[in-house]
Every structure is written in C-alpha cells, then in structure tokens.
C-alpha cells in the first residue's frame, strides 16, 4: 500500500502555511526536524492526542507535502520533506522551525521539549 503525496511542484505555499498554523502539526514538524532524516513511527506522536486525531494531523501534513509517510507492514514511517520544501520555498522551513523551537506554547512530544539542532 502506498499513500498519495503531492509532487514537489504541486506543493502550494498557502496550503503549507495553513497546515503549519496548527500547533499540533507544528509540534510534529519541529520534532521531525530535530530527528532530521530519521523515519519515525507515527506512534511516536501519541502524546499529542488520540490515534484518530493524530491520524488526521499526519494526513494533513502529508497531503500538503510537508511530510512523507511510508507504509511498512502495519506501521507508517514519517519523514520531513525538507529537500522538496527547501527547493520550492527556500528558507521557509528553517524560519518556521526556528520560530517553533522558541515557542513554549507548543505541545511537547515524549513529555519533554525538543532539542533543536544548532
């Protein structure tokens, strides 16, 4: 089973910004950025809400082209589409992640704050 993802040239700035305007989705992106390049099981984000709620947020991120979800058995591995986003909107993701890294109002994942790369 494969999940639909937009091609890099189909990623739309208004949609990306709308998706990143949600605190839960922004917390997911911040956490993925802190684990750059490491595919994470969707269960890693269960601190953010119910499975149904989390599934909704992960789908919105995938549909906007912010993340990639790969189905592996019964799991979904989530990665940040940094290369595609940087090519399409240079500097946007870095700016959003930097601002999110300083936002104490965002929900924490794993019961602690996210360590941001320098």
């Amino acid at each position: 089973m494969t999940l639909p993802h937009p091609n890099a040239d189909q990623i739309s700035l208004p949609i990306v910004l709308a998706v990143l305007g949600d605190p839960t989705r922004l917390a997911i992106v911040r956490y993925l950025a802190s684990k750059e390049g490491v595919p994470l099981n969707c269960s890693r984000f269960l601190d953010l809400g119910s499975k149904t709620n989390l599934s909704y947020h992960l789908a919105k991120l995938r549909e906007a082209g912010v993340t990639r979800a790969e189905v592996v058995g019964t799991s979904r591995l989530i990665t940040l589409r940094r290369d595609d986003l940087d090519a399409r909107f240079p500097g946007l993701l870095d700016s959003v992640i930097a601002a999110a890294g300083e936002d104490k109002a965002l929900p924490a994942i794993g019961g602690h704050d996210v360590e941001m790369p320098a």
Side-chain angles (χ1 to χ4, degrees):
M1 177 179 160
T2 59
L3 299 171
H5 297 83
N7 296 327
D9 63 339
Q10 295 173 318
I11 299 173
S12 162
L13 182 61
I15 294 172
V16 169
L17 293 174
V19 163
L20 294 176
D22 179 86
T24 299
R25 294 191 286 262
L26 189 53
I28 291 169
V29 169
R30 177 178 71 170
Y31 191 78
L32 287 169
S34 76
K35 307 294 183 193
E36 197 71 51
V38 177
L40 298 174
N41 189 298
C42 58
S43 66
R44 183 66 183 105
F45 304 105
L46 288 176
D47 291 346
L48 298 174
S50 68
K51 288 181 182 180
T52 302
N53 190 32
L54 181 61
S55 179
Y56 170 79
H57 287 300
L58 290 172
K60 288 293 184 186
L61 287 166
R62 177 182 48 79
E63 291 164 358
V66 175
T67 61
R68 180 165 303 284
E70 180 184 354
V71 178
V72 179
T74 59
S75 297
R76 292 183 185 198
L77 299 179
I78 313 299
T79 54
L80 192 58
R81 291 181 65 180
R82 179 178 282 283
D83 290 344
D84 290 338
L85 290 167
D86 285 347
R88 192 92 167 103
F89 313 110
L92 175 68
L93 194 56
D94 288 333
S95 296
V96 168
I97 291 167
E102 299 169 5
D103 191 344
K104 302 296 183 197
L106 290 179
I109 298 172
H112 51 78
D113 288 332
V114 175
E115 294 178 24
M116 294 304 300

